[in-house]
Amino acid sequence: MPYDFPQCLVGRVAPELYSRWLQRKAVAHVKRDRKRGNTNATTTEYKQAIHCAVVKSSGRDAYTGEELNWSLISQYDNKKSKALGRSYKKELALLPTVDHVGDGLGKPDFVISSWRTNDAKHDLTRDEFLTLCKAVLMYHGFSVA
């Protein structure tokens, strides 16, 4: 593995599985960003950026601080998902995912979040997502600074 295995993942996931996940995530994000118009996107650069995001995360969701379940990486089963629907998605709520910080058109910049958080955030920017979260909490009577 060309990258030092993240300390936060020791005992949580095998280095070989992490390496495979890292490669697959980089390839998928490069493909997506090239479709968006980022002709300069490279797998090598994206792998490095995703790896840095993992290290920086300390194994936690960048938005909620929740401990992610790294044993779930590369475990998604499309057949199970179709058969079980929402309940399957809930089982994978803390699956680590890669989230763009920007629009994917510049240098790669990512954070790591849970599948649940990334799904809720969808295509919002960080600030838009935080504003939405604040509005939801305030509507339900919570005080938010």
Side-chain angles (χ1 to χ4, degrees), residues 25-96:
K25 293 299 162 188
V27 167
H29 279 275
V30 165
K31 185 177 180 180
R32 186 176 309 147
D33 288 355
R34 283 185 180 162
K35 282 184 181 178
R36 292 177 175 166
N38 186 349
T39 57
N40 296 320
T42 69
T43 302
T44 301
E45 191 175 34
Y46 274 50
K47 273 177 81 170
Q48 182 64 40
I50 294 168
H51 177 72
C52 287
V54 170
V55 171
K56 186 177 177 185
S57 79
S58 296
R60 296 182 171 277
D61 184 303
Y63 300 100
T64 67
E66 292 173 291
E67 193 79 33
L68 297 171
N69 187 346
W70 288 88
S71 67
L72 294 175
I73 63 172
S74 300
Q75 299 300 312
Y76 180 80
D77 183 331
N78 199 40
K79 286 182 184 177
K80 260 181 132 173
S81 179
K82 285 182 180 182
L84 300 175
R86 282 183 168 178
S87 65
Y88 183 70
K89 197 170 191 177
K90 283 183 181 182
E91 287 178 28
L92 298 178
L94 295 175
L95 168 72

Side-chain angles (χ1 to χ4, degrees), residues 123-134:
D123 60 356
L124 299 175
T125 67
R126 179 184 182 276
D127 289 342
E128 291 166 342
F129 179 60
L130 294 177
T131 298
L132 174 63
C133 291
K134 183 177 179 179

